């Protein structure tokens, strides 16, 4: 029971730290929702490879969850940046099309 309480406390603490960083209550929730998918992938690949749950496997799982969290933070930050820009959705496509025509 103590381990589950510690896990729950750590999730809440990480959530609150990301809330302070993003100054929003919704963005950290979006970031945290990516973690169950990473955990499911870890469990599936541990099962498929026949690896037992050992200290090296747990270290790899922690690193994988860290990479998934960092990726989620980058995606949310990029989306917020793009939403704040004044470009219309057609402007980046037209800019890419003009670059492609210059290259060829």
């Amino acid at each position: 029971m103590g381990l589950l309480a510690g896990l729950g406390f750590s999730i809440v603490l990480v959530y609150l730290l990301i809330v302070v960083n993003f100054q929003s209550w919704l963005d950290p929730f979006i970031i945290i929702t990516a973690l169950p998918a990473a955990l499911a992938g870890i469990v599936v690949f541990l099962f498929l490879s026949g690896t037992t749950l050992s200290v090296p496997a747990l270290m790899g799982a922690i690193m994988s969850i860290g990479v998934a969290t960092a990726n989620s933070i980058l995606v949310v930050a990029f989306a917020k940046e793009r939403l704040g820009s004044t470009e219309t959705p057609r402007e980046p496509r037209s800019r890419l099309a003009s670059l492609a025509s210059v290259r060829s």
Side-chain angles (χ1 to χ4, degrees), residues 35 38-39 42 59-71:
L35 300 182
L39 190 59
I42 291 166
M59 292 289 288
I62 290 170
M63 290 174 59
S64 176
I65 289 174
V67 168
T69 304
N71 186 37

Side-chain angles (χ1 to χ4, degrees), residues 38-92:
L39 190 59
I42 291 166
V43 169
V44 166
F45 279 103
L46 281 176
F47 177 74
L48 290 177
S49 66
T51 305
T52 59
L53 199 58
S54 60
V55 172
L58 288 175
M59 292 289 288
I62 290 170
M63 290 174 59
S64 176
I65 289 174
V67 168
T69 304
N71 186 37
S72 298
I73 290 171
L74 288 174
V75 168
V76 168
F78 179 74
K80 282 181 68 170
E81 178 184 314
R82 296 302 294 168
L83 284 175
S85 71
T86 59
E87 292 182 334
T88 63
R90 291 181 185 231
E91 287 178 13

Side-chain angles (χ1 to χ4, degrees), residues 7 9 14 17 20 25 29 34 36 42 44 49-50 57 61 72 77 85 93:
L7 180 65
F9 180 70
V14 167
L17 286 172
V20 169
W25 291 98
F29 181 73
I42 291 166
V44 166
S49 66
S72 298
S85 71
R93 283 185 276 163

